[in-house]
């Protein structure tokens, strides 16, 4: 929605040293500035800011990037919001060259929602409309007085066309009210307010802008709770109530508490548990977890102590997927389940027994995987071998989505096998014999296809998929080497003629590297490094964290000699991988011509590898 030119202008108008200095004490060391990393605890400064490249990098936790990345991480913002934040800071007016109509519509709907919450809050706090007394009584019974109602922007919806009339008077059209789902078409197509005789709880986005409402009926009518239907502003599977209020606490504690009601969330916050959020008419989803994982690494799913709460806790087992195992790397989050005493919800427990009792419940939270397995064992007859075997088979179903992980094996060895008196090797063999869940079969088949393609095609570039075992063992080294070449190209103009020829011969893989290389090749031979850094980040913004590390070696010779050394080392790593793939193909080939051809290829590549190593040996060691 924001023009590329505005993104560039905003980045160039931001002095990263000045920006970082607002939160980190920096000291000059040569051309760079160093301080203690704001993203992890450390005693010795390992966080550098390079004013020439306008990039930061921490050598402790490996965080790195440009001004946008720094704001996104420190302020917990999305990219678009970070651009607006820095643009405001630099007094730059942003122009939206694409999607103007969509952007204008979104802004209008946000204004409409703001007008709605102000109107409903005014009715609750300042009028004597019919039904307001009942709404106030309902809130008072839950210890929610006027001060709390103001803080949480609670409101009252009388129904009819009261809100519709108010919004039209404010200049909003009927279509805009429909698009925001604040009015609906009733009988005979008559337009009327969506919420009728309900206490309203506004739902905000991460920036605190109201995007939806939840309404609790006054009286005994159904449905008891009613939410805004999904709109262009609001998707319930991606939104959590009070997330805007909880995000700071989530970052500070590293833990999120998830409940299932508005009043429960408010009660938790008022009791000091400001890291609490709630789902909105849906169970916790993977989209919710990804949102929470931006701020916290652990989630405690807190359920009511009734039958419905138990059923919801059991359904939470659907969140056990390969994406959330501790060893997944890319999505590291730990799920726990806590259940309240029978007949109580969070607000009831806090009102009756206080925060100490709530803390005791939270302290007894159980890992979701363990909880789900115990649910399978709870109804089993463990008094005889047949029952224990059936229980083992049933509980192992919980672990099928993460089969192959160390976590699954640990649960079998430490939990199931001892509890059921089973031998670990027999339990593991049974586990491996169970059919995979349907939703993971396609993923497994895809992996096999990718592996086969790699084995057949071989290595054609320096960045590749780690699917062929030993063939990809040097992937990290290769990526480091190619990054060294990029930085040499940017920092040292004398290397550019040599590297231009090298870049044109390399078959770069991945979706981003070709664009990055083309940007460098199109640059002027004498372009300043600051100009090239800006162009690279404009072309591939995600490459900022990689470039931020800078050169990994302190070389003593000329930049050209160092570039040649890196090129030889890259070629050596690539040739080793090609040989490994040929050996895999040789082992799998049928006897005959195909096997002989692979043997000849191996011999030829080994000969080339010897020559490359001979050239490496001739490179002056003084350049290291």
């Amino acid at each position: 929605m924001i023009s590329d030119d505005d993104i560039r202008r905003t980045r160039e108008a931001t002095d990263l040293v000045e920006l970082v200095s607002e939160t980190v004490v920096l000291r000059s060391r040569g051309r760079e500035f160093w301080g203690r990393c704001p993203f992890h605890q450390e005693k010795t400064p390992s966080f550098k800011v390079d004013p020439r490249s306008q990039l930061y990098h921490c050598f402790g936790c490996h965080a790195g990037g440009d001004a946008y990345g720094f704001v996104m991480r420190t302020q917990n913002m999305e990219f678009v919001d970070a651009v607006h934040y820095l643009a405001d800071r630099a007094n730059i007016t942003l122009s939206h060259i694409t999607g103007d109509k969509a952007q204008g519509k979104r802004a209008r709907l946000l204004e409409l929602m703001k007008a709605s919450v102000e109107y409903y809050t005014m009715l609750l706090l300042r009028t004597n409309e019919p039904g307001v007394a009942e709404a106030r009584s309902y809130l008072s019974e839950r210890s929610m007085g006027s001060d709390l109602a103001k803080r949480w922007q609670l409101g009252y919806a009388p129904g009819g066309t009261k809100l519709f009339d108010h919004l039209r008077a404010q200049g909003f059209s009927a279509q805009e009210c429909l698009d925001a789902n604040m009015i609906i078409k009733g009988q005979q197509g008559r337009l009327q307010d969506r919420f009728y005789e309900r206490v309203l709880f506004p739902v905000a986005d991460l920036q605190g802008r109201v995007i939806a409402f939840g309404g609790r009926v006054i009286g005994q009518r159904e449905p008891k709770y009613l939410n805004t239907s999904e709109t262009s502003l609001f998707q319930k599977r991606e939104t959590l109530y009070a997330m805007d209020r909880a995000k700071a606490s989530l970052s500070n504690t590293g833990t999120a508490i998830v409940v299932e009601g508005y009043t429960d969330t408010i009660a938790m916050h008022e009791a000091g548990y400001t890291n609490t959020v709630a789902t909105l008419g849906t169970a916790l989803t993977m989209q919710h977890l990804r949102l929470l994982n931006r701020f916290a690494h652990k989630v405690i799913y807190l359920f009511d102590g009734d039958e419905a709460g138990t059923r919801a806790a059991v359904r939470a087992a659907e969140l056990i997927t390969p994406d959330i195992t501790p060893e997944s790397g890319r999505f590291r989050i730990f799920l726990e389940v806590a259940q309240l005493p029978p007949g109580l919800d969070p607000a009831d427990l806090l009102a009756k027994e206080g925060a100490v009792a709530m803390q005791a419940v939270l302290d007894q939270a159980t890992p979701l995987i363990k909880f789900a397995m115990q649910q399978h064992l709870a109804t089993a007859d463990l008094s005889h071998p047949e029952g224990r075997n059936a229980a083992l088979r049933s509980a192992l179903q919980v672990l099928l989505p993460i089969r192959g992980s160390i976590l699954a094996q640990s649960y079998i060895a430490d939990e199931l096998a001892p509890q059921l008196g089973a031998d670990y090797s027999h339990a593991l063999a049974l586990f491996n014999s169970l059919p995979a869940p349907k939703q993971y079969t396609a993923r497994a088949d895809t992996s096999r296809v990718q592996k086969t393609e790699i084995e057949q095609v071989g290595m054609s570039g320096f960045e590749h998929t780690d699917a062929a075992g030993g063939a990809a063992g040097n992937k990290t080294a290769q990526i480091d080497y190619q990054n060294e070449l990029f930085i040499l190209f940017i920092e040292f103009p004398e290397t550019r003629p040599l590297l231009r020829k090298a870049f044109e011969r390399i078959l770069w893989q991945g979706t981003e590297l070709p664009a990055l290389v083309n940007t460098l090749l199109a640059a002027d031979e004498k372009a300043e490094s600051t100009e090239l850094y800006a162009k690279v980040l404009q072309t591939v913004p995600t490459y900022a964290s990689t470039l931020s590390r800078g050169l990994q070696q302190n070389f003593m010779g000329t930049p050209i000699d160092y570039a040649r050394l890196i090129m030889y080392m890259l070629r050596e790593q690539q040739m080793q991988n090609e040989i490994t793939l040929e050996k895999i193909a040789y082992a799998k080939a049928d006897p005959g011509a195909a096997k002989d051809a692979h043997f000849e290829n191996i011999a030829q590549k080994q000969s080339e590898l010897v020559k490359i190593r001979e050239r490496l040996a001739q490179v002056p060691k003084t350049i290291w």
Side-chain angles (χ1 to χ4, degrees):
M1 302 300 294
I2 302 173
S3 70
D4 290 342
D5 186 58
D6 280 351
I7 292 173
R8 175 190 57 78
R9 287 195 305 123
T10 301
R11 182 190 284 113
E12 292 175 353
T14 301
D15 183 338
L16 185 61
V17 175
E18 182 181 327
L19 175 68
V20 174
S21 295
E22 294 175 2
T23 53
V24 179
V25 177
L26 296 176
R27 287 183 170 83
S28 175
R29 188 188 301 173
R31 78 169 198 180
E32 297 164 341
F33 291 81
W34 291 75
R36 293 179 182 174
C37 180
F39 307 125
H40 79 287
Q41 297 294 322
E42 62 178 10
K43 296 181 179 179
T44 303
S46 63
F47 181 86
K48 77 164 186 178
V49 180
D50 186 342
R52 182 157 63 168
S53 66
Q54 287 292 298
L55 298 170
Y56 70 88
H57 186 80
C58 176
F59 291 91
C61 67
H62 308 296
D66 62 356
Y68 293 130
F70 186 81
V71 170
M72 288 168 68
R73 185 152 184 173
T74 56
Q75 303 287 337
N76 287 317
M77 289 182 176
E78 297 286 356
F79 176 75
V80 172
D81 297 312
V83 177
H84 280 281
Y85 176 87
L86 290 178
D88 290 341
R89 187 175 178 275
N91 294 318
I92 291 175
T93 301
L94 298 175
S95 58
H96 300 83
I97 62 169
T98 58
D100 287 335
K101 186 174 181 180
Q103 182 73 7
K105 178 179 178 180
R106 179 177 177 83
R108 285 286 293 174
L109 293 184
L110 287 171
E111 285 297 320
L112 185 151
M113 299 304 290
K114 181 180 179 182
S116 298
V117 72
E118 290 174 350
Y119 177 70
Y120 281 142
T121 301
M122 180 272 296
L123 290 182
L124 177 67
L125 297 178
R126 301 179 186 175
T127 71
N128 291 314
E129 286 275 338
V132 168
E134 290 83 351
R136 291 172 182 163
S137 176
Y138 167 81
L139 293 172
S140 178
E141 290 172 2
R142 286 151 183 78
S143 302
M144 296 182 181
S146 59
D147 289 341
L148 183 147
K150 290 177 184 177
R151 290 198 303 274
W152 287 85
Q153 293 184 291
L154 305 186
Y156 174 70
T161 62
K162 293 288 183 66
L163 177 68
F164 186 28
D165 295 339
H166 174 75
L167 292 176
R168 282 192 295 186
Q170 297 290 312
F172 295 101
S173 68
Q175 188 58 53
E176 287 174 325
C177 296
L178 286 168
D179 290 341
N181 196 231
M182 294 311 296
I183 65 170
I184 58 174
K185 290 184 178 180
Q187 294 180 353
Q188 300 176 343
R190 181 174 176 271
L191 298 179
Q192 62 188 53
D193 294 353
R194 172 170 178 76
F195 295 102
Y196 180 77
E197 293 183 355
R198 290 178 182 271
V199 172
L200 291 187
F201 301 83
V203 178
D205 63 11
L206 280 176
Q207 283 70 55
R209 299 171 300 193
V210 176
I211 57 175
F213 287 94
R216 204 282 188 187
V217 72
I218 301 300
Q220 302 299 319
R221 291 183 295 104
E222 295 292 335
K224 186 175 181 181
Y225 292 99
L226 180 67
N227 294 323
T228 300
S229 296
E230 294 201 345
T231 68
S232 60
L233 296 178
F234 170 61
Q235 294 79 43
K236 63 182 180 181
R237 293 179 61 83
E238 300 175 4
T239 307
L240 292 165
Y241 179 62
M243 189 68 192
D244 58 314
R245 298 170 180 264
K247 61 184 182 182
S249 183
L250 296 182
S251 296
N252 292 334
T253 64
T255 300
I257 303 170
V258 180
V259 298
E260 294 192 300
Y262 310 107
T263 55
D264 291 333
T265 305
I266 294 174
M268 291 287 284
H269 275 253
E270 295 298 312
Y273 294 99
T274 54
N275 56 332
T276 303
V277 296
T279 53
L280 297 162
T282 179
L284 194 66
T285 67
M286 291 304 299
Q287 293 96 315
H288 291 144
L289 289 181
R290 290 190 176 94
L291 173 61
L292 291 170
N293 197 30
R294 289 172 49 191
F295 303 89
H297 64 272
K298 183 171 81 170
V299 173
I300 300 177
Y301 207 173
L302 182 60
F303 294 99
D304 295 351
D306 55 17
E307 185 178 348
T310 300
R311 287 198 302 270
V314 172
R315 286 198 307 273
E318 297 173 1
L319 295 171
I320 301 172
T321 73
D323 291 334
I324 63 170
T325 56
E327 63 266 54
S328 67
R330 69 182 180 86
F331 185 53
R332 195 178 293 256
I333 194 165
F334 300 89
L335 286 168
E336 295 185 351
V337 172
Q339 194 157 16
L340 294 161
L344 295 178
D345 60 28
D348 293 334
L349 180 65
L350 288 168
K352 293 180 179 179
E353 302 182 37
V356 174
M358 176 59 71
Q359 190 59 51
V361 171
L362 296 174
D363 290 341
Q364 295 175 15
T366 304
L368 175 60
I369 294 175
K370 181 175 181 179
F371 176 86
M373 291 194 303
Q374 293 302 321
Q375 294 299 310
H376 282 260
L377 299 180
T379 57
D381 183 357
L382 306 182
S383 63
H384 53 84
E386 289 82 0
R388 291 192 293 273
N389 183 67
L392 175 62
R393 181 180 289 270
S394 175
L396 287 173
Q397 300 291 329
V398 173
L399 299 175
L400 283 178
I402 59 170
R403 181 157 54 190
S405 68
I406 296 175
L407 189 62
Q409 296 178 32
S410 297
Y411 268 107
I412 295 172
D414 301 337
E415 299 284 343
L416 287 179
Q419 187 171 350
L420 297 174
D423 179 77
Y424 168 70
S425 61
H426 291 164
L428 184 61
L430 173 61
F431 180 52
N432 290 330
S433 71
L434 295 175
K438 290 182 179 180
Q439 60 266 39
Y440 300 111
T441 302
R443 182 182 300 180
D445 290 342
T446 300
S447 298
R448 285 195 292 272
V449 170
Q450 291 174 342
K451 181 175 180 179
T452 302
E453 290 175 348
I454 291 171
E455 291 172 352
Q456 290 174 348
V457 175
M459 305 303 301
S460 57
F462 296 146
E463 183 175 280
H464 52 279
T465 303
D466 190 0
N474 297 315
K475 176 181 178 182
T476 301
Q478 290 195 36
I479 293 175
D480 286 342
Y481 292 153
Q482 73 183 24
N483 293 334
E484 297 277 280
L485 293 183
F486 292 147
I487 296 173
L488 282 168
F489 188 101
I490 294 172
E491 292 279 0
F492 302 99
E494 61 267 37
T495 67
R496 293 172 190 172
L498 172 68
L499 293 178
R500 283 179 188 276
K501 296 178 181 179
F503 288 176
E504 289 172 351
R505 291 196 302 268
I506 295 171
L507 179 59
W508 301 99
Q509 295 186 349
T511 58
E512 294 182 338
L513 290 184
L516 186 152
V517 172
N518 288 337
T519 297
L520 294 179
L521 292 177
D524 185 86
E525 194 76 27
K526 297 181 180 180
E528 293 290 334
S529 61
T530 52
E531 179 184 347
L532 285 184
Y533 275 120
K535 286 185 176 181
V536 165
L537 295 180
Q538 183 72 10
T539 305
V540 188
T542 56
Y543 208 66
S545 60
T546 301
L547 287 180
S548 67
R549 291 180 298 174
L551 292 173
Q552 301 299 290
Q553 298 284 354
N554 294 318
F555 61 91
M556 301 296 292
T558 69
I560 292 178
D561 286 338
Y562 185 55
R564 286 198 179 101
L565 174 65
I566 296 297
M567 289 163 62
Y568 282 136
M569 295 173 75
L570 262 173
R571 183 58 184 159
E572 179 192 32
Q573 296 289 343
Q574 179 178 340
M575 189 57 66
Q576 286 180 320
N577 286 346
E578 291 179 0
I579 291 171
T580 302
L581 286 170
E582 283 290 350
K583 287 180 178 179
I584 293 173
Y586 175 80
K588 293 187 175 183
D590 295 328
K595 210 172 189 71
D596 293 341
H598 287 303
F599 182 82
E600 292 176 4
N601 288 338
I602 292 171
Q604 179 184 352
K605 291 181 183 298
Q606 285 177 332
S607 176
E608 292 180 25
L609 182 59
V610 170
K611 293 178 182 178
I612 293 171
R613 287 176 172 167
E614 288 175 352
R615 292 173 185 169
L616 268 172
Q618 296 170 4
V619 175
K621 298 301 180 185
T622 55
I623 73 170
W624 289 91

